[in-house]
Amino acid sequence: MADYHDDLRLAHALADAADAATMARFRALDLKVETKPDMTPVSEADRAAEELIRAGLQKERPADAILGEEYGVEGTGPRRWVIDPIDGTKNYVRGVPVWATLIALMEEDETGFQPVVGVVSAPALGRRWWAARGLGAFTGAGLGSGTRIGVSRVASLADASFAYSSLSGWEERGRLDAFLDLTRACWRTRAYGDFWPYMMVAEGSVDLCAEPELSLWDMAAVAVVVQEAGGSYTGLDGRPGPHSGNAAASNGLLHEALLGHLGYEEAPGA
């Protein structure tokens, strides 16, 4: 089995640098915010954080490729770092502390690129989560002070807590009725949004979550954390990993029930 300790240490160091940059501009009255062509916001902090991470990777892992939300793909090869400098930019620009920097390493195998290292750092919440293939999933201030985490053992939707981001995405895809049926079947539902529900699944405080449309940089880091915590992470089509353009995550025991309500026979547009 490959040893990912050095890659995990590097991902933490990159997250430290990004946290310093993003927190320095969080709630700044003169924060510069623009609208991208896809009508989503991007702040100067998004760009600065990605630039810092890219610079660190170019120095420490010059042979590896990089995919980032703000600056696209650079390089080729069997190892690719995937970056979301601020997951939850809409929260960030409004002063809501639920946002995080996501850093993942993906490696190519016979099934394509799969995440093997992930760091999710939410400095405004004072939280960080991380995982590497075969090493487990953890939360804490850093590598030297991590506590191992694991998913819940809830086995019935009637006892389950379900987290999501919003209703609009499900409605736009004609899946709102199925979504509402799932919420009615569950004990509790909350719209935490973005990276946070996946981390709650990984640490066992939420049992399942799903989103109808996502990009690879939204999913790569959280997928490996959920998986190493003992959970299941697939697309709504049931395809393992972060490649379906949408996500279903659970403690594993509830995954069949989750896909039974929201799953597609194939990924939308496939």
Side-chain angles (χ1 to χ4, degrees):
M1 181 178 292
D3 184 347
Y4 297 109
H5 285 90
D6 285 345
D7 293 312
L8 192 55
R9 279 191 286 270
L10 174 59
H12 274 274
L14 297 171
D16 289 341
D19 286 354
T22 53
M23 286 301 291
R25 299 299 292 154
F26 184 49
R27 293 177 174 157
L29 296 179
D30 60 343
L31 181 72
K32 296 181 176 64
V33 182
E34 300 174 9
T35 300
K36 294 190 286 189
D38 64 1
M39 302 307 293
T40 61
V42 58
S43 74
E44 60 181 90
D46 292 80
R47 293 186 173 124
E50 184 166 326
E51 287 166 0
L52 278 171
I53 295 168
R54 283 178 177 269
L57 289 170
Q58 287 160 357
K59 178 181 178 182
E60 300 293 336
R61 298 290 189 274
D64 293 353
I66 305 171
L67 168 65
E69 179 176 9
E70 306 308 333
Y71 295 106
V73 179
E74 179 180 357
T76 59
R79 287 167 47 101
R80 176 182 293 176
W81 294 84
V82 181
I83 307 161
D84 190 341
I86 299 179
D87 182 53
T89 299
K90 292 177 182 177
N91 283 345
Y92 183 88
V93 302
R94 291 297 302 272
V96 178
V98 182
W99 49 271
T101 294
L102 312 183
I103 301 172
L105 171 63
M106 302 185 74
E107 286 191 341
E108 191 173 21
D109 62 20
E110 64 277 2
T111 65
F113 281 92
Q114 297 297 334
V116 295
V117 171
V119 171
V120 177
S121 190
L125 293 176
R127 300 293 308 277
R128 184 177 290 186
W129 302 262
W130 63 91
R133 180 180 286 177
L135 299 179
F138 298 83
T139 188
L143 278 172
S145 59
T147 300
R148 190 157 190 159
I149 57 176
V151 296
S152 74
R153 302 302 298 168
V154 173
S156 169
L157 287 179
D159 299 320
S161 182
F162 170 51
Y164 61 98
S165 286
S166 69
L167 299 179
S168 59
W170 300 102
E171 185 172 28
E172 289 165 4
R173 287 156 188 81
R175 303 289 292 172
L176 183 58
D177 287 345
F179 173 85
L180 292 175
D181 284 343
L182 175 58
T183 67
R184 296 182 186 108
C186 292
W187 165 65
R188 191 170 191 260
T189 62
R190 286 294 184 272
Y192 299 109
D194 300 308
F195 69 94
W196 206 8
Y198 302 97
M199 299 302 94
M200 291 182 182
V201 168
E203 58 189 16
S205 53
V206 163
D207 308 302
L208 63 164
C209 63
E211 290 184 86
E213 183 178 17
L214 292 166
S215 297
L216 182 59
W217 47 76
D218 298 313
M219 298 185 282
V222 303
V224 68
V225 175
V226 170
Q227 291 165 339
E228 285 296 316
S232 295
Y233 190 104
T234 72
L236 294 172
D237 56 0
R239 181 184 179 191
H243 296 290
S244 300
N246 46 54
S250 77
N251 63 3
L253 299 174
L254 295 169
H255 212 74
E256 184 176 343
L258 172 57
L259 294 179
H261 279 274
L262 297 180
Y264 300 96
E265 291 185 3
E266 59 181 14

